[in-house]
């Protein structure tokens, strides 16, 4: 099983509608992606909390269908 | 936290070791690129740590994900606190935050 970049983006956008999402496929196997997510909802959150928000958006796909997601998160500059 | 029996074992590890890395493989033979990346960072900083090989313990492998509410391995703990996985440790290291964080926790690192 694998996830497409579009699936990942759709799921993240459902949870973080304002997010700016940039996804790169690292291996072309639907299993290894890098994603940069910028969202105002990250403001005031630790990196761990920000990443957990993205993982929760993927509804259990992270670590199961999706083996690797090199994640970078940030809140937009004011 | 629910009374998942493996939580006690995990708690025991993270409370009796300053730095614990739940990883795939061992510090000498990491068996995953992400685990290896964290081992390299800790080794570069000269930080002694305990490696817990989740490949040898299926209960801990799954239990740790619930314990920290984090879906992947590796997972780094410092003084009982979950610090992050490979991405976060690498990002903190690259931005010079990891050395500072460790110092705040009373953990010495080798000079750069």
């Amino acid at each position: 099983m694998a996830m497409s970049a579009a699936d990942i983006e759709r799921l993240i956008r459902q949870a973080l509608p304002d997010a700016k999402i940039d996804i790169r496929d690292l291996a072309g196997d639907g299993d290894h992606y890098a994603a940069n997510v910028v969202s105002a909802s990250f403001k005031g959150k630790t990196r761990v909390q920000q990443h957990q928000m993205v993982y929760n958006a993927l509804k259990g796909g992270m670590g199961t269908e999706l083996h690797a997601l090199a994640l970078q998160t940030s809140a937009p500059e004011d | 936290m629910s009374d998942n029996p493996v939580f006690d074992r995990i708690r025991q590890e993270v409370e009796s070791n300053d730095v614990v890395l739940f990883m795939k493989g061992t510090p000498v033979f990491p068996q995953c690129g992400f685990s290896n990346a964290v081992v390299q960072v800790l080794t570069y900083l000269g930080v002694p740590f305990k490696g817990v090989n989740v490949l040898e313990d299926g209960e801990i492998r799954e239990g740790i994900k619930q314990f920290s509410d984090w879906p992947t391995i590796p997972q780094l703990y410092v003084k009982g606190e979950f610090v992050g996985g490979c991405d976060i440790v690498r990002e903190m290291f690259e931005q010079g935050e990891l050395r500072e964080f460790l110092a705040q926790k009373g953990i010495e690192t080798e000079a750069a």
Side-chain angles (χ1 to χ4, degrees):
Chain A
M1 270 286 289
M3 269 180 138
S4 71
D7 290 340
I8 296 169
E9 181 158 353
R10 180 176 43 80
L11 287 168
I12 295 175
R13 195 167 302 292
Q14 267 172 18
L16 304 166
D18 73 316
K20 202 167 77 53
I21 304 166
D22 160 40
I23 297 180
R24 280 176 297 114
D25 186 338
L26 298 177
D29 59 3
D31 232 357
H32 298 74
Y33 291 94
N36 190 337
V37 183
V38 181
S39 167
S41 341
F42 292 148
K43 204 159 276 177
K45 297 261 189 335
T46 66
R47 276 196 194 93
V48 169
Q49 290 165 332
Q50 292 175 21
H51 287 216
Q52 282 170 325
M53 288 165 73
V54 175
Y55 291 148
N56 293 334
L58 297 177
K59 296 192 169 62
M62 187 66 238
T64 50
E65 293 139 75
L66 187 54
H67 178 67
L69 178 65
L71 197 49
Q72 265 195 310
T73 55
S74 55
E77 303 292 329
D78 289 339
Chain B
M1 269 199 205
S2 71
D3 47 7
N4 182 335
V6 79
F7 282 7
D8 295 334
R9 281 205 292 143
I10 292 170
R11 221 170 272 120
Q12 210 271 328
E13 288 285 2
V14 299
E15 283 165 8
S16 51
N17 298 284
D18 280 351
V19 182
V20 183
L21 180 63
F22 293 86
M23 61 178 292
K24 289 178 181 171
T26 64
V28 177
F29 291 110
Q31 289 171 265
C32 149
F34 300 110
S35 292
N36 185 40
V38 178
V39 167
Q40 298 305 319
V41 165
L42 295 174
T43 306
Y44 175 82
L45 291 174
V47 173
F49 66 96
K50 162 127 192 221
V52 176
N53 184 359
V54 301
L55 297 179
E56 283 174 5
D57 189 326
E59 239 189 24
I60 288 228
R61 180 175 188 172
E62 290 317 313
I64 191 68
K65 293 173 187 175
Q66 289 153 33
F67 184 82
S68 53
D69 183 24
W70 190 262
T72 55
I73 302 289
Q75 294 186 21
L76 181 64
Y77 280 75
V78 172
K79 295 276 176 111
E81 181 188 331
F82 175 58
V83 178
C86 179
D87 295 337
I88 287 177
V89 170
R90 201 173 7 204
E91 195 172 335
M92 287 177 75
F93 172 65
E94 282 158 6
Q95 294 182 9
E97 289 174 27
L98 189 55
R99 198 186 289 275
E100 196 187 315
F101 173 80
L102 290 167
Q104 278 165 12
K105 296 286 179 184
I107 292 171
E108 278 172 31
T109 54
E110 275 171 18

